[in-house]
Amino acid sequence: MEVITLNLFGHPFAVCFSLEHAYRTMSELRDDACLAYVQSGKQEIYSPTQKIVARDKESILMNCGNYIANFAEVTPIIPFQSIVFHLDAHTIRKAFGDKNLSFLQVDQTHIPRNPALKIEQSDLLDSFVASMMPYFDHPGLARDELLALKLQELVHILSDSGRNPVATQIIGTLYDS
C-alpha cells in the first residue's frame, strides 16, 4: 500500500493511496465526513444501513459513522487507486473564515437516513481531482493557503452551492455541529 497525505491546518485533508492486493478495513469517522474518489478499481462501502459500490471515476460522500471498506478485484496488474478527502468541521470553518455559508444551513428535522451518497462520474469532480495531483507529486507545495482554497472548491462542487440537497445535508450537518 502506498499512501501520501496532505494536511490542512494540522488535519488530514487529502489522502492518495494505491493497493495492489485485495484489502478490507473498518473505518470510523468521528466529527468528520469524507469523499472517497475512486481513480481506478472498485470500492465497496458497507454501513449499518447501506452498501455502496463505486468504480472508476465515481465517488462516495459519507458522513460520520462506522463503515467497512472493501477493496476487491485488486491485483498488481489491476491496482486500486483512490483519493479520500476529509471534511471535518474545524477545517471547514477555518478554510471558509467569515465567508457566507448559508448554502450549508441544514434543517435538522430532515437528517438523511442514509448518511452516504454515491456520486456518479462528473467532469467537474474529475477536473478537481486532476488539479490536486501536482500536490501529491510535490507535497512541499501543498501550503495551507492553497489547500484551504481547494477545500472551498470541493465543498461548492459537492453541494453544487446548495443545490444538491443530500450532499448539502451531509456537509451541512457536519458544519452545524
Side-chain angles (χ1 to χ4, degrees):
M1 178 186 300
E2 181 181 337
V3 178
I4 301 170
T5 301
L6 302 176
N7 290 318
L8 174 57
F9 308 131
H11 297 271
F13 166 54
V15 180
C16 182
F17 70 98
S18 60
L19 301 168
E20 293 186 352
H21 302 284
Y23 183 71
R24 186 177 185 116
T25 185
M26 182 167 175
S27 299
E28 184 175 330
L29 303 172
R30 294 200 183 278
D31 300 325
D32 196 357
C34 72
L35 175 76
Y37 177 90
V38 177
Q39 289 179 294
S40 63
K42 175 184 173 185
Q43 178 177 2
E44 299 170 343
I45 296 291
Y46 299 89
S47 75
T49 60
Q50 291 176 276
K51 173 187 175 186
I52 298 178
V53 177
R55 297 181 188 275
D56 300 353
K57 309 296 183 201
E58 295 177 332
S59 304
I60 303 170
L61 178 63
M62 299 173 281
N63 207 339
C64 306
N66 295 319
Y67 297 89
I68 294 175
N70 187 43
F71 308 94
E73 303 173 14
V74 180
T75 69
I77 296 169
I78 307 170
F80 175 83
Q81 295 178 319
S82 179
I83 298 178
V84 176
F85 296 95
H86 293 272
L87 307 166
D88 70 89
H90 167 78
T91 306
I92 291 173
R93 284 187 187 97
K94 194 164 181 178
F96 278 90
D98 59 359
K99 292 182 180 161
N100 182 355
L101 293 178
S102 60
F103 68 93
L104 288 179
Q105 290 179 343
V106 174
D107 179 353
Q108 294 293 334
T109 62
H110 292 92
I111 304 298
R113 282 182 267 155
N114 295 326
L117 169 68
K118 180 177 178 177
I119 300 174
E120 300 295 332
Q121 186 276 331
S122 149
D123 290 342
L124 193 56
L125 197 52
D126 292 346
S127 294
F128 171 80
V129 170
S131 76
M132 288 294 300
M133 296 316 292
Y135 298 108
F136 291 109
D137 294 335
H138 308 284
L141 298 176
R143 304 212 191 303
D144 281 351
E145 299 81 9
L146 293 172
L147 293 181
L149 292 172
K150 299 306 284 180
L151 173 60
Q152 291 177 36
E153 180 182 2
L154 180 60
V155 168
H156 281 286
I157 289 170
L158 292 174
S159 71
D160 191 19
S161 297
R163 290 186 293 273
N164 182 331
V166 176
T168 300
Q169 193 88 23
I170 290 171
I171 299 167
T173 300
L174 174 72
Y175 177 77
D176 285 344
S177 62

